[in-house]
């Protein structure tokens, strides 16, 4: 694989090259060798820093993909180049998503100003926390003005991914108990913009009220001028409210710019990426520790002793940490 | 706090003592001091190893809590002591779930043979992967025959939690596109038993068929005799099918026993717990690394250099790992 050629093609916006580079990131290198990822990171560095990242999250069924698709239409009408990353939680068992979100984005498939990718990390080095910033760098270098990251909004890892965005949109829909679900998953607190989608349905007003009530209970403590997340009503399937959503995204961007905070997102992504890669390295070292008996890993032997009641798990963990640091 | 007293009371099944010990686990000790957790692990060790752990997972809206509640009723009728852990993904931002599942379990609230707890980990040492096995040990020592762990089944961390069970139940419901959602979240592969709940609704047959089709595509590769996950139809709200579900759980248990595999679950839990505690320790060391400039953490300084294009994230991570190991 000629990495320089691929990077050059990706910068020209050749979809196949963009796709191959994201696959490389997703697979964690070639056959477990991370060397190409290191080279890719170095090769892309000069061409990044332009794209803004918008995260979209919410429970299954609120209409994330439909909203994402409508946003793509609106941003394209505005002449902006758009990337979409649909992040599927990885399966630790079979290695990946069976079905992608690509199918639902069919209408944009032939637009050369749009790149769409489903991502599943296959338990590779650093998982989503590392792979997502890497894929964003590819799309950034490919000339995207905006990258939309769509995740299922229930779960720790997914909250972590969406927290990497410059602007985070949390979607709810009427009548699904979503307010509660959202709060439980911790996504209420990460929202810069709320969308109540399917706003033509019964219960939309109640959802908006519940949201405003929860926000009043749950103010983020921030230093300096604070951003109050607006609540936008949409019917994504008909495009209703999507222009208002674009306006809200731009207003948040302007707020960050006015307060000298545009660098926060990129810095957060870099920090998460470095930490994720370092932790994955350390985790691999933990799993590679060989046991005293030779027939099992050290971790497996320690687990057996904990189950037998000979050792408590904290002391076992101390032994693991000491071995990794030795 | 007199830990020995609490452990003794918990062993007698005093609900308040059980609750306080789980709170201790959930909070990650007292004021960040993990010493009591170490002592607790040691104090409980002699009294554990009896309870079997059943995980229940599925997308929001499939009826997990209703099914869990119906299972509790059936197991109680059978004279078994039951614990319920409802695991809420933690909020990394505000620290925890706003609303617990406890409210939905009201009918069992006064039964002394049932312990019910919602759990949210507050980003503490090891997160859910460490806290869940610890809470299970408390319920085990309190004399539970069965502990039901209910999690929202979308997300990496939640899949990891449910994979700690001895037997894992994956719930679906007709007409929610759940087959697809389940597969995306990787929970299809962890199922020992499938439940199609709300089986009186239109589309139940289609859901069962879709599931069987996916299973045929997606066989786990196992050595030795393999367990084929049964599909149980339930209407949890009326109790229909719950006895069959109990039967399926017992059949899976018997299968494990017949093949000498009963120790796998406890060993898997111990392994995950040790690894999670060790990784949390290493993560804390990463975050504590002080930077060369003194005004920022080393991680923050490295992130700034990555954003500036002076350093690639892999080299930055190498520096982090080297510092942790130094």
């Amino acid at each position: 694989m000629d990495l320089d050629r691929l990077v050059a093609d990706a910068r020209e916006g050749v979809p196949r090259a963009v796709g191959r580079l994201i696959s490389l990131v997703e697979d964690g290198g070639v056959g477990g060798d991370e060397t190409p990822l290191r080279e890719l990171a170095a090769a892309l560095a000069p061409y990044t820093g332009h794209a803004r990242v918008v995260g979209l999250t919410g429970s299954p069924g609120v209409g994330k993909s439909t909203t994402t698709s409508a946003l793509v239409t609106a941003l394209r009408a505005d002449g902006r180049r758009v990337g979409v990353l649909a992040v599927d939680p990885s399966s630790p068992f079979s290695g990946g998503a069976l079905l992608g979100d690509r199918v639902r984005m069919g209408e944009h498939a032939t637009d050369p100003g749009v790149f769409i990718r489903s991502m599943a990390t296959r338990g590779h080095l650093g998982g989503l926390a590392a792979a997502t910033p890497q894929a964003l760098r590819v799309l950034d270098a490919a000339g995207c003005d905006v990258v939309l990251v769509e995740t299922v909004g229930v779960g720790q890892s997914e909250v972590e991914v969406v927290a990497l965005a410059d602007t985070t949109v949390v979607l709810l829909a009427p009548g699904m108990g979503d307010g509660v679900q959202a709060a439980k998953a911790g996504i209420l607190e990460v929202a810069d913009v709320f969308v109540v989608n399917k706003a033509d349905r019964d219960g939309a007003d109640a959802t908006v009220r519940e949201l405003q009530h929860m926000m009043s209970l749950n103010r983020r403590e921030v230093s300096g001028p604070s951003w109050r997340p607006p609540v936008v009503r949409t019917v994504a399937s008909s495009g209703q409210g999507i222009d208002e959503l674009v306006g809200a995204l731009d207003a948040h961007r302007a707020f960050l710019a006015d307060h000298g905070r545009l660098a926060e997102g990129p810095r957060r992504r870099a920090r998460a990426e470095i930490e994720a890669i370092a932790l994955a390295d350390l985790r691999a070292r933990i799993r590679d520790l060989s046991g005293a008996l030779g027939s099992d890993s050290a971790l497996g032997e320690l687990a057996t002793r904990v189950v037998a009641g000979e050792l408590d798990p904290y002391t076992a963990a101390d032994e693991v940490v000491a071995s990794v640091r030795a």
Side-chain angles (χ1 to χ4, degrees), chain A:
Chain A
M1 185 182 53
D2 183 345
L3 200 63
D4 291 339
R5 181 75 252 155
L6 277 177
V7 169
D9 284 351
R11 290 188 54 217
E12 297 290 321
V14 178
R16 209 179 121 76
V18 173
R20 284 196 59 191
L21 289 177
I22 295 180
S23 294
L24 183 68
V25 159
E26 197 176 30
D27 292 343
V30 176
D33 174 14
E34 66 181 50
T35 314
L37 294 183
R38 290 176 178 257
E39 289 173 9
L40 178 60
L44 292 176
Y47 311 114
T48 56
H50 168 71
R52 51 190 275 209
V53 179
V54 176
L56 292 105
T57 191
S59 299
V62 297
K64 282 184 300 297
S65 294
T66 314
T67 305
T68 302
S69 185
L71 261 181
V72 171
T73 304
L75 293 165
R76 288 298 297 141
D78 222 20
R80 301 194 239 188
R81 289 172 76 87
V82 186
V84 176
L85 274 187
V87 178
D88 295 349
S90 96
S91 162
F93 291 85
S94 72
L98 288 186
L99 293 166
D101 291 272
R102 261 165 287 200
V103 288
R104 285 183 265 159
M105 296 282 174
E107 64 177 295
H108 304 295
T110 56
D111 180 346
V114 182
F115 299 96
I116 298 172
R117 263 302 284 246
S118 289
M119 263 186 63
T121 60
R122 308 193 173 90
H124 96 293
L125 193 73
L128 290 174
T132 306
Q134 292 168 1
L136 290 171
R137 264 203 302 275
V138 174
L139 291 167
D140 190 351
C144 289
D145 300 300
V146 182
V147 181
L148 307 175
V149 180
E150 180 195 331
T151 77
V152 171
V154 191
Q156 286 183 323
S157 311
E158 293 63 44
V159 167
E160 284 164 20
V161 168
V162 90
L164 301 177
D166 296 299
T167 300
T168 298
V169 180
V170 172
L171 290 93
L172 306 171
M176 295 181 60
D178 283 289
V180 175
Q181 297 292 350
K184 284 171 66 174
I187 57 180
L188 197 64
E189 297 87 349
V190 303
D192 299 306
V193 175
F194 284 103
V195 167
V196 174
N197 191 34
K198 307 184 182 180
D200 53 345
R201 295 204 184 167
D202 283 351
D205 289 342
T207 300
V208 170
R209 270 198 309 273
E210 183 186 8
L211 204 47
Q212 279 163 342
H213 177 65
M214 279 177 146
M215 271 197 281
S216 70
L217 293 176
N218 205 43
R219 283 290 184 84
R220 266 185 282 190
E221 288 179 25
V222 289
S223 55
S226 71
W227 168 258
R228 188 169 161 77
V231 179
V232 181
R233 292 166 193 245
T234 59
V235 184
S237 55
S238 72
Q240 188 187 318
I242 296 298
D243 288 343
E244 288 78 2
L245 176 54
V246 172
L249 298 179
D250 288 341
H252 184 248
R253 180 78 176 174
F255 172 85
L256 292 178
D258 288 349
H259 295 89
R261 292 174 52 189
L262 286 178
E264 285 180 8
R267 206 153 163 279
R268 210 155 51 220
R269 289 191 280 278
R271 211 184 144 103
E273 184 180 5
I274 297 167
E275 190 182 79
I277 296 169
L279 278 172
D281 177 328
L282 292 166
R283 183 173 214 155
R285 288 172 198 263
I286 288 176
R287 293 185 175 177
D288 284 350
L289 291 174
S290 56
L293 304 179
S295 61
D296 196 1
S297 71
L299 195 56
E301 283 176 16
L302 290 167
T304 301
R305 290 175 60 199
V306 167
V307 172
E310 297 166 19
L311 197 66
D312 76 85
Y314 288 88
T315 308
D318 289 344
E319 287 192 24
V320 168
V321 170
S323 299
V324 166
R325 299 186 72 215

